[in-house]
Amino acid sequence: MTHKKMADQQASHENTHVENTSGTAQRARLLERLRAGPIDTFTAIRELNIVRPGARINELRALGHKILTHRLDLTDDQGRKHPRIALYYLSTNPPAGVPV
């Protein structure tokens, strides 16, 4: 029996739709969003359907992406205040007012 190596499952536009919850699709969505600008944990959960954004960020860092974190206080959709929520951004695309 011959074992064929499966091709790398690269993220493509077809498998990055928010209903696709595979790690590959989540990383692709998050990286695409980071290229557009900073994103906080709440937004990643709500808009990108990523339940554990911090885990996907760590995976992207392990793949060599230079992602930085800034902590800020945010209020969630129910009006509750949360201290030190992560704001992620690419080192080449820092948010205004955040020291690099």
Side-chain angles (χ1 to χ4, degrees), residues 3-62:
H3 293 283
K4 290 185 179 180
K5 258 190 165 176
M6 291 186 65
D8 262 351
Q9 298 298 312
Q10 296 296 319
S12 69
H13 182 68
E14 292 80 37
N15 69 0
T16 59
H17 198 268
V18 295
E19 278 80 28
N20 186 336
T21 58
S22 72
T24 300
Q26 289 181 44
R27 284 188 298 276
R29 285 195 300 273
L30 187 52
L31 185 57
E32 181 179 338
R33 177 57 176 76
L34 284 166
R35 287 181 175 139
I39 187 168
D40 64 74
T41 300
F42 293 157
T43 303
I45 292 168
R46 185 179 57 252
E47 293 179 8
L48 302 179
N49 191 25
I50 299 174
V51 177
R52 295 184 56 222
R56 302 298 80 82
I57 290 291
N58 285 336
E59 293 163 358
L60 288 169
R61 286 176 176 151

Side-chain angles (χ1 to χ4, degrees), residues 17 23-24 27 38 50 66 69-70 80 90 98:
H17 198 268
T24 300
R27 284 188 298 276
I50 299 174
K66 306 281 190 220
T69 304
H70 178 72
R80 298 175 294 225
L90 292 171
V98 173

